[in-house]
């Protein structure tokens, strides 16, 4: 086994994987699901009937695009900075409205996946060539450090798809606090939060019958096999989802179906699993107005307005600095 103190890992992915698989209980970070294959599977998820989030938020943006674009805009140019932009499917509704109304803005999508950013840039060139776009690859936290430097224009920070739900409450407060610190008085944050609802609806969204979410979750093991010369047998792990209606937390796991040892060459590591031992892979937090206000307050933000779909499945909130 590697002596961690003496080791220089070849990438942050390698280091995080080592840490997660040598911890108890074992975990892996969901942000690493997103590579070329993971991006594709996520697009399949967004098209699943069970994955209500995309359709609900899409509806909110379509119904309210005129109001939202007016709130974003100002007499001068502004920067529209999107964190975890993905393929921009829903953002394009807003981009089209902003272009149609001839508002002057620069679109700056950020994502951990270079692949999805390349696809987004190509799609925008084709579908809305008027948009001035500059992509940036990196994690939320890398980007937030640089956000305060974007000071020459008003900033509108966009986080769609309930990306914040992949963070624990304390990480979410940290994330929001970093955003708040980078915001000036005129700036605003527009963020999507999936809402608490029938637990069965939530479970089905992360545990579809066709097994698409299972493939998505297992893409973590596929990446370890491909990039770190791992030897995970995907058949020996079970995708498992839980939802706790009290805390509003949906959690994804990969559970080892048998006692096994898995070699990961590039980490010089053999990972030992007991039968039915788990790897925690993702959280998808669900919210209500009280929790959103509490997170905002902790972070130095205040909710100015919210937009909901007709069934209150999903909400987008506008925040300002306190
Ligand atoms: C659930 S998808 C949502 C995409 C898009 N916001 C939407 O609503 O369709 C999450 C996106 O955030 C990116 N992502 C996940 N974790 C990230 C992180 N820590 N830093 C930057 N991007 C991240 C992923 O690559 C993916 O494109």
């Amino acid at each position: 086994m590697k002596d961690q103190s003496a080791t220089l890992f070849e990438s942050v992915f390698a280091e995080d994987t080592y840490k997660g698989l040598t911890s108890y209980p074992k975990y892996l970070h969901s942000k690493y699901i997103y590579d070329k294959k993971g991006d594709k599977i996520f697009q399949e998820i967004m098209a699943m009937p069970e994955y209500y989030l995309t359709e609900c938020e899409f509806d909110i943006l379509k119904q309210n695009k005129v109001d939202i674009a007016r709130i974003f805009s100002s007499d001068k140019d502004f920067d529209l900075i999107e964190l975890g932009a993905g393929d921009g499917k829903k953002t394009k509704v807003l981009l089209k409205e902003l272009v149609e109304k001839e508002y002057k803005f620069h679109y700056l999508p950020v994502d951990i996946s270079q692949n999805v950013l390349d696809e987004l840039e190509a799609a925008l060139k084709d579908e809305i060539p008027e948009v001035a776009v500059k992509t940036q690859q990196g994690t939320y936290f890398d980007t937030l450090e640089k956000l305060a430097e974007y000071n020459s224009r008003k900033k509108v920070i966009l986080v769609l798809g309930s990306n914040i739900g992949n963070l624990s409450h304390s990480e979410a407060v940290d994330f929001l606090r970093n955003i708040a610190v980078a915001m000036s008085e005129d700036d605003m944050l527009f963020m999507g939060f999936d809402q608490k609802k029938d637990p069965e609806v939530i479970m089905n969204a992360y545990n579809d019958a066709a097994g698409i979410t299972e493939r998505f979750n297992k893409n973590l093991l596929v990446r370890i096999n491909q990039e770190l010369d791992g030897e995970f047998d995907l058949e020996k792990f079970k995708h498992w989802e839980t939802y706790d209606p009290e805390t509003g937390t949906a959690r994804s796991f990969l559970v080892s179906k048998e006692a096994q040892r898995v070699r990961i060459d590039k980490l010089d590591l053999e990972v030992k699993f007991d039968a039915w031992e788990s790897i925690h892979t993702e959280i998808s937090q669900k919210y209500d107005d009280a929790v959103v206000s509490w997170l905002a307050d902790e972070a130095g933000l205040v909710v100015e307005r919210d937009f909901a779909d007709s069934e209150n499945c999903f909400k987008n909130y506008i925040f300002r600095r306190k």
Side-chain angles (χ1 to χ4, degrees), residues 142-169:
D142 298 338
T143 312
L144 288 170
E145 278 175 20
K146 293 182 207 146
L147 210 56
E149 292 165 19
Y150 288 94
N151 264 336
S152 55
R153 292 184 279 264
K154 169 182 156 178
K155 291 190 283 294
V156 177
I157 300 155
L158 206 57
V159 189
L160 301 184
S162 209
N163 291 7
I164 191 168
N166 294 143
L167 306 177
S168 66
H169 283 327

Side-chain angles (χ1 to χ4, degrees), residues 30-35 39 42 46 51 53-54 57 82-91 110-114 116-117 136-143 158-163 166-167 175 216 282 314:
S30 61
K31 64 184 175 196
Y32 294 122
I33 296 176
Y34 298 91
D35 63 352
D39 294 338
F42 187 67
M46 287 197 290
Y51 197 74
L53 290 86
T54 307
E57 194 177 32
E82 180 164 16
L83 304 178
D87 70 357
K89 177 179 150 83
K90 288 162 292 177
T91 318
V110 174
D111 205 285
I112 194 169
S113 166
Q114 184 63 52
V116 93
L117 289 172
Q136 193 177 312
Q137 192 272 334
T139 67
Y140 305 136
F141 289 91
D142 298 338
T143 312
L158 206 57
V159 189
L160 301 184
S162 209
N163 291 7
N166 294 143
L167 306 177
F175 178 52
F216 182 67
E282 186 171 55
F314 197 95

Side-chain angles (χ1 to χ4, degrees), residues 300-315:
L301 291 167
V302 62
V303 175
E304 185 174 271
R305 185 164 170 188
D306 63 61
F307 300 88
D309 61 293
S310 55
E311 313 231 315
N312 278 332
C313 261
F314 197 95
K315 278 190 175 182

Side-chain angles (χ1 to χ4, degrees), residues 178-322:
N178 277 308
I179 294 177
V181 165
M183 282 167 70
S184 314
E185 211 180 305
D186 274 355
D187 297 345
M188 66 184 84
L189 169 65
F190 184 86
M191 192 179 270
F193 289 77
D194 193 17
Q195 301 290 299
K196 286 184 182 168
K197 58 181 66 61
D198 182 344
E200 202 168 316
V201 173
I202 293 173
M203 281 296 286
N204 290 341
Y206 298 95
N207 197 24
D208 61 293
I212 301 172
T213 325
E214 175 177 353
R215 266 197 290 128
F216 182 67
N217 197 8
K218 287 188 175 175
N219 196 47
L220 282 165
L221 305 186
V222 173
R223 273 195 80 174
I224 295 172
N225 284 351
Q226 285 172 351
E227 295 176 32
L228 303 175
D229 292 342
E231 291 177 0
F232 278 103
D233 177 348
L234 304 198
E235 290 305 313
K236 291 188 179 167
F237 287 85
K238 189 181 177 95
H239 167 71
W240 191 251
E241 190 67 26
T242 65
Y243 176 64
D244 178 346
E246 187 174 50
T247 59
T249 313
R251 305 177 88 212
S252 305
F253 297 90
L254 290 168
V255 183
S256 177
K257 293 181 188 171
E258 56 186 65
Q260 55 177 318
R261 288 172 183 273
V262 179
R263 172 94 199 141
I264 304 174
D265 259 356
K266 286 199 177 165
L267 298 181
D268 191 15
L269 177 69
E270 190 174 73
V271 190
K272 179 180 165 293
F273 290 92
D274 291 329
W276 306 115
E277 186 178 349
S278 61
I279 311 173
H280 177 226
T281 53
E282 186 171 55
I283 81 161
S284 303
Q285 182 65 37
K286 309 302 162 196
Y287 302 89
D288 52 32
D289 284 347
V291 173
V292 172
S293 297
W294 170 74
L295 289 171
D297 192 51
E298 290 285 301
L301 291 167
V302 62
V303 175
E304 185 174 271
R305 185 164 170 188
D306 63 61
F307 300 88
D309 61 293
S310 55
E311 313 231 315
N312 278 332
C313 261
F314 197 95
K315 278 190 175 182
N316 291 89
Y317 296 77
I318 293 183
F319 303 91
R320 299 256 188 199
R321 256 179 80 157
K322 255 201 277 192

